[in-house]
Amino acid sequence: MDYDIRINNDPPYRYEGKGKHKIETIEAMEYCAEKFNQKQAVSVSQIVKYLSRYNDKNGYEDLEKACDYIKRLTGEWA
């Protein structure tokens, strides 16, 4: 199966929602980011992305990336 092909406008398989709520990560990113200004929304959406996938993809590396975006969001970025 080609993971990048959309069939009947369905998202690629790798983006299908997981867990009991079946929420796609992009939907969670958009929902969380909509309450922030444009610059903050980038950091918030990246935090959601890295936290949602760390256990299935890059582990500790994704947690570190989420922490970097939290620092950026809170003004602690050096």
Side-chain angles (χ1 to χ4, degrees):
M1 172 182 241
D2 185 351
Y3 289 108
D4 292 324
I5 294 176
R6 285 183 172 253
I7 299 171
N8 299 326
N9 208 27
D10 290 332
Y13 175 75
R14 69 176 179 272
Y15 293 125
E16 286 184 4
K18 296 179 180 177
K20 74 177 187 178
H21 297 295
K22 305 285 186 204
I23 297 171
E24 290 186 35
T25 302
I26 189 72
E27 292 170 343
M29 291 166 67
E30 290 170 346
Y31 176 78
C32 292
E34 72 184 9
K35 301 173 183 94
F36 295 90
N37 68 43
Q38 201 170 25
K39 187 175 179 181
Q40 293 168 325
V42 171
S43 292
V44 169
S45 63
Q46 293 300 306
I47 292 164
V48 171
K49 176 181 77 175
Y50 286 120
L51 290 179
S52 69
R53 74 179 201 183
Y54 87 93
N55 203 32
D56 296 322
K57 194 163 184 186
N58 296 324
Y60 187 76
E61 180 182 337
D62 280 344
L63 291 178
E64 286 182 320
K65 290 177 183 179
C67 287
D68 287 343
Y69 280 101
I70 291 169
K71 289 176 185 175
R72 184 181 297 265
L73 183 64
T74 61
E76 295 178 29
W77 187 258

